Amino acid sequence: MEAPAGGVDDMTKLSYLHEPGVLENLKSRYELNEIYTYTGNILIAINPFQRLPHIYDGHMMQQYKGAPFGELSPHVFAVADVAYRNRAMVNEGKSNSILVSGESGAGKTETTKMLMRYLAYLGGRAATEGRTVEQQVLESNPVLEAFGNAKTVRNNNSSRFGKFVEIQFDKHGRISGAAIRTYLLERSRVCQVNDPERNYHCFYLLCAAPQEEIEKYKLDHPKTFHYLNQSKCFELVGVSDAHDYLATRRAMDIVGISAKEQEAIFRVVAAILHLGNIVFTKGKEVDSSVPKDEKAKFHLKTTAELLMCDAVALEDALCKRVMITPEEVIKRSLDPQSAAISRDGLAKTIYSRLFDWNFVMLHLCMNLYRLVDKINNSIGQDPTSKCLIGVLDIYGFESFKTNSFEQFCINFTNEKLQQHFNQHVFKMEQEEYTKEQINWSYIEFVDNQDVLDLIEKKPGGIIALLDEACMFPKSTHETFSNKLYQTFKSHKRFIKPKLSRTDFTISHYAGEVQYQSDQFLDKNKDYVVAEHQELLGASKCQFVAGLFPPPPEETSKSSKFSSIGSRFKLQLQSLMETLNSTEPHYIRCVKPNNLLKPAIFENVNIMQQLRCGGVLEAIRISCAGYPTRRAFFEFINRFGLLAPEALEGNYDEKVACQRIMEKKGLKGFQIGKTKVFLRAGQMAELDARRAEV
Ligand code: ATP
Ligand code: MG
């Protein structure tokens, strides 16, 4: 059978499955603005780079509500609808998760927002009094984006953190709470921006705030701030920072961040800008430093005012280090270069604490509301019926010309998610077929456990070796690299590049990536300089002091050391545990071109993304296997009416299922020990018959 003109909406319907066929199908659909295509249960979404009329409006939402999966054209709403309905099924009252992946600019965040809007639509309540949780859920997006998104070369609104949004439903299917977990914000951007990228949006928004605020925070055009003017890009086409500032403030209101807290948040944002303008020059003593000129002094004074700390103490914290030797405590001066590094370190720490606070706060606000709500409506509510739909929007695989610690962590995340995907699509399938004793010729797939071992094994993996190197004062990136070369000499997934003495290459599931190790040690260390901690912990502003709570008493040397890599690994572990307890649904976003323009479909580029996302493998397995399965009794409950005669008297469930399908002329299905296994599309066919009855 030839693919019909305009393509098929599910790749598993293609009769000849090869790469060109898959690509051709996607292309002909994309030309008709059909950006969504299924591969069995996986949704492929190709970024249209233009607003398509009506595809997300209220009418569309109405249509997808409760429609059987596969009946309407492929859509994000259909995926969310399945997740929502699974939640309601008595036997599958399991939590669900929707995993959205793809490279930067592929449309993950936009997709996530549509999913959230649709879930809010399904789980919204009619009550209009005050703010509702679903409104809060939706308005958390602009807040998150203001502080965690930035323009990059790949995307004008790139998320520089990962997020997992959990929406909780009560037993009536209404939203009862929400929480957001965020992962690994890119810190380096706060003080280092490459042309033509931008720093985090919030800095530009604040510079475009109403005059009153500009005066209060002593702000000016972004080009006057060192943290912003390293790049010549200040404005974004089609975006008004002034408008977005007000929108962000409104969103913060709705989410439940108080006016006082908002004031403190933006005061800290302004302080970071002034902090960056404190330039140092040599002081009188050897290797010492002082603010360079009157301007630098002004910014020092302003920073101290905004952070509500002592200006002299701030200067000291930036220009001096306390050294504790067995004999005495000495204050050592820093040279101008070290003072600038100290300053940037402080800026990064403050910003990342602010970001984390914001999102802890979002979580608290939303749950608080839930608590209040619960008290108000406590009658008839069952607190045990907790059902979640989680939506994951996390950075895709990255391989650039230079790849540092951030890429390492991002690609580690992707290995984890790929394993989850593998396990789900491949392992589970096969295990299930074996358990149910149905015929099945085993398809091989590439397991990536060995890459994960290389990265995270304890002891002996790269993260563990990096932590060791960070704890040992004499380590350099050379000694660290040498240790890696020795340890993984014969590891299949580890390569020492011929022309470098400090780079290393990992052979990831999606391809080889060569990492530059020179900043790994610095970027992995997660300590706040004691002087900075002391300075801000003593701030007269409760909010600022709260960002720097006293560190826990140190018990041993190893507990004192905290590393970004290890903490991230733990966060990922906990995310995987959550995901493993849910029924996953996958959405693979694809970026059709690097120009970020509509209607351009770059074949090779897209093929590579499909390969990285495991889509091609999944197509193969979906077609070969039985994507839909139902326990006998469930199947009979649903389709018994198609062959009532099969259910007469004392019938055998297994035989009854067989009869129902034979009567409807289905072929190729299998009957297992406890379940019916259907080929792709057969469920929809039966549903259609059912609708006729
Ligand atoms: P990153 O990893 O950098 O955060 P991302 O995958 O989250 O990237 P998005 O920010 O969601 O990418 O999308 C990039 C841009 O593509 C959006 O700002 C928007 O202009 C456009 N876009 C994405 N999806 C759609 C859509 N469904 N309809 C219209 N435009 C879209
Ligand atoms: Mg994004």
Side-chain angles (χ1 to χ4, degrees):
M1 187 185 76
E2 275 295 299
V8 294
D9 60 6
D10 188 333
M11 304 274 212
T12 58
K13 290 184 191 155
L14 287 172
S15 34
Y16 296 102
L17 257 177
H18 40 50
E19 296 190 357
V22 166
L23 205 60
E24 200 43 54
N25 189 47
L26 288 176
K27 186 173 184 169
S28 56
R29 291 177 62 74
Y30 191 66
E31 278 164 4
L32 300 172
N33 283 340
E34 297 282 356
I35 59 170
Y36 297 117
T37 306
Y38 293 126
T39 294
N41 298 324
I42 305 165
L43 179 70
I44 300 172
I46 307 188
N47 190 342
F49 283 116
Q50 60 180 320
R51 296 280 152 212
L52 297 176
H54 310 306
I55 71 168
Y56 306 113
D57 63 14
H59 176 68
M60 215 49 154
M61 294 206 242
Q62 222 169 16
Q63 289 212 308
Y64 278 89
K65 185 173 177 176
F69 188 80
E71 193 181 272
L72 300 172
S73 314
H75 202 290
V76 276
F77 293 164
V79 178
D81 205 78
V82 172
Y84 185 78
R85 269 181 292 139
N86 273 355
R87 172 207 55 81
M89 277 193 201
V90 185
N91 295 307
E92 300 179 40
K94 203 177 169 185
S95 289
N96 281 258
S97 57
I98 305 173
L99 289 82
V100 185
S101 60
E103 64 178 52
S104 180
K108 300 179 291 294
T109 302
E110 294 299 316
T111 299
T112 307
K113 285 194 267 191
M114 292 310 161
L115 289 168
M116 289 167 73
R117 256 189 54 206
Y118 187 71
L119 291 172
Y121 162 77
L122 293 179
R125 55 194 77 210
T128 46
E129 179 199 332
R131 46 170 195 256
T132 58
V133 185
E134 59 273 13
Q135 243 181 322
Q136 288 187 297
V137 168
L138 296 181
E139 289 303 314
S140 65
N141 283 316
V143 182
L144 281 163
E145 291 186 14
F147 293 88
N149 284 28
K151 176 202 153 76
T152 68
V153 281
R154 288 169 195 84
N155 182 357
N156 290 339
N157 183 32
S158 182
S159 323
R160 311 312 298 156
F161 64 100
K163 72 166 188 271
F164 186 60
V165 182
E166 285 177 333
I167 303 179
Q168 192 186 317
F169 295 87
D170 66 16
K171 69 172 180 197
H172 307 295
R174 287 193 300 248
I175 296 182
S176 56
I180 297 173
R181 288 192 239 176
T182 59
Y183 300 91
L184 202 74
L185 178 79
E186 180 186 60
R187 295 168 168 228
S188 53
R189 184 168 299 272
V190 177
C191 35
Q192 193 193 348
V193 188
N194 300 323
D195 202 52
E197 302 203 338
R198 288 210 317 179
N199 208 318
Y200 289 105
H201 295 326
C202 64
F203 293 109
Y204 307 86
L205 301 190
L206 187 57
C207 289
Q211 195 55 27
E212 194 189 331
E213 264 136 293
I214 299 290
E215 280 163 23
K216 188 163 78 184
Y217 301 133
K218 306 198 170 126
L219 293 171
D220 201 340
H221 190 276
K223 70 177 179 230
T224 58
F225 293 105
H226 170 61
Y227 286 159
L228 309 182
N229 67 20
Q230 298 163 52
S231 159
K232 295 291 157 269
C233 174
F234 301 108
E235 269 144 44
L236 301 180
V237 180
V239 175
S240 155
D241 287 323
H243 168 271
D244 284 2
Y245 174 76
L246 297 175
T248 305
R249 292 294 291 241
R250 257 198 313 278
M252 290 168 107
D253 285 338
I254 293 174
V255 155
I257 301 179
S258 73
K260 201 173 146 206
E261 283 162 344
Q262 292 180 32
E263 192 276 333
I265 289 170
F266 283 106
R267 184 153 38 72
V268 170
V269 171
I272 292 172
L273 288 179
H274 287 287
L275 177 63
N277 277 10
I278 308 176
V279 190
F280 300 97
T281 186
K282 276 187 193 145
K284 285 196 203 97
E285 295 158 40
V286 205
D287 283 346
S288 71
S289 54
V290 290
K292 188 173 159 215
D293 48 23
E294 285 310 309
K295 247 171 124 179
K297 282 185 197 152
F298 161 77
H299 289 294
L300 180 88
K301 194 167 143 269
T302 311
T303 308
E305 276 166 21
L306 294 170
L307 294 174
M308 297 193 190
C309 62
D310 186 63
V312 178
L314 173 61
E315 187 178 334
D316 266 10
L318 294 176
C319 302
K320 294 191 179 120
R321 275 290 165 281
V322 176
M323 307 284 291
I324 303 174
T325 69
E327 292 81 35
E328 55 182 344
V329 177
I330 26 176
K331 264 202 173 174
R332 184 172 62 90
S333 299
L334 299 177
D335 60 28
Q337 198 192 350
S338 309
I341 292 175
S342 165
R343 175 199 69 200
D344 291 349
L346 179 61
K348 284 187 277 195
T349 304
I350 299 175
Y351 194 79
S352 60
R353 294 270 169 111
L354 180 70
F355 184 80
D356 291 343
W357 179 88
N358 238 319
F359 305 116
V360 168
M361 204 52 207
L362 286 185
H363 175 134
L364 286 181
C365 293
M366 292 190 217
N367 278 302
L368 203 65
Y369 185 83
R370 191 185 86 217
L371 209 73
V372 174
D373 205 37
K374 260 220 176 100
I375 297 164
N376 290 344
N377 307 302
S378 54
I379 313 146
Q381 277 211 356
D382 174 9
T384 53
S385 80
K386 229 175 134 180
C387 205
L388 294 172
I389 298 184
V391 182
L392 184 71
D393 168 10
I394 209 155
Y395 10 66
F397 185 78
E398 292 189 349
S399 174
F400 303 141
K401 240 193 250 146
T402 58
N403 299 290
S404 187
F405 184 64
E406 288 84 358
Q407 279 68 46
F408 175 78
C409 290
I410 287 172
N411 292 340
F412 170 39
T413 312
N414 279 279
E415 289 287 353
K416 277 280 200 201
L417 292 172
Q418 184 64 21
Q419 186 179 52
H420 180 264
F421 181 76
N422 280 343
Q423 275 170 354
H424 183 71
V425 182
F426 302 87
K427 277 191 194 158
M428 306 270 213
E429 278 301 271
Q430 300 201 353
E431 277 166 14
E432 176 89 349
Y433 295 157
T434 311
K435 201 170 82 200
E436 287 280 331
Q437 300 179 348
I438 63 168
N439 284 332
W440 167 253
S441 49
Y442 288 83
I443 287 187
E444 280 193 27
F445 74 93
V446 190
D447 190 11
N448 62 338
Q449 186 58 46
D450 51 352
V451 192
L452 284 167
D453 284 344
L454 171 69
I455 297 174
E456 64 169 347
K457 205 164 164 198
K458 211 175 166 181
I462 296 178
I463 292 178
L465 293 178
L466 180 61
D467 282 359
E468 262 172 45
C470 287
M471 275 188 273
F472 185 62
K474 292 211 176 100
S475 305
T476 63
H477 68 284
E478 281 102 351
T479 62
F480 167 61
S481 309
N482 276 329
K483 178 81 189 181
L484 294 185
Y485 299 153
Q486 278 166 25
T487 315
F488 304 119
K489 221 178 334 189
S490 53
H491 199 288
K492 276 212 301 284
R493 300 289 203 149
F494 184 93
I495 303 155
K496 178 190 179 309
K498 286 209 173 62
L499 296 172
S500 165
R501 277 190 288 164
T502 54
D503 288 6
F504 64 94
T505 299
I506 296 180
S507 171
H508 287 287
Y509 75 91
E512 289 184 0
V513 179
Q514 183 165 340
Y515 297 96
Q516 282 69 48
S517 67
D518 45 325
Q519 293 188 51
F520 269 58
L521 277 80
D522 279 342
K523 288 183 174 174
N524 185 43
K525 285 181 200 160
D526 180 28
Y527 70 76
V528 179
V529 179
E531 288 83 348
H532 295 171
Q533 166 74 44
E534 215 171 288
L535 173 83
L536 295 175
S539 162
K540 293 200 182 59
C541 169
Q542 220 180 11
F543 178 83
V544 174
L547 296 178
F548 291 83
E553 287 289 315
E554 31 186 281
T555 43
S556 70
K557 189 153 175 139
S558 66
S559 74
K560 185 185 167 197
F561 176 75
S562 114
S563 88
I564 303 236
S566 297
R567 208 178 41 181
F568 184 58
K569 186 179 124 181
L570 290 177
Q571 277 187 314
L572 272 188
Q573 243 162 31
S574 130
L575 172 67
M576 297 322 291
E577 275 162 26
T578 308
L579 293 179
N580 285 334
S581 70
T582 65
E583 176 81 30
H585 308 266
Y586 295 92
I587 301 182
R588 299 301 201 196
C589 296
V590 173
K591 186 180 183 178
N593 62 71
N594 294 328
L595 303 166
L596 319 185
K597 293 232 164 78
I600 303 172
F601 192 94
E602 293 173 358
N603 289 345
V604 178
N605 190 347
I606 291 170
M607 211 62 217
Q608 173 63 14
Q609 293 176 59
L610 295 178
R611 215 171 280 137
C612 288
V615 173
L616 295 177
E617 278 295 286
I619 290 175
R620 209 156 65 91
I621 200 143
S622 273
C623 293
Y626 307 89
T628 330
R629 63 210 61 175
R630 284 287 177 272
F632 294 147
F633 73 91
E634 259 187 81
F635 185 82
I636 291 171
N637 275 348
R638 194 176 173 111
F639 300 115
L641 78 174
L642 294 178
E645 66 280 5
L647 306 178
E648 272 162 21
N650 217 351
Y651 64 93
D652 178 63
E653 283 190 328
K654 195 169 171 168
V655 177
C657 290
Q658 181 117 21
R659 288 232 182 103
I660 296 170
M661 284 189 285
E662 278 166 359
K663 182 172 171 205
K664 290 296 146 193
L666 295 192
K667 291 202 176 65
F669 62 88
Q670 295 243 21
I671 305 275
K673 278 167 73 180
T674 65
K675 288 178 189 168
V676 177
F677 288 76
L678 299 177
R679 306 296 306 239
Q682 288 185 327
M683 184 77 163
E685 218 171 302
L686 286 171
D687 271 327
R689 300 289 175 82
R690 190 165 162 257
E692 289 163 10
V693 177

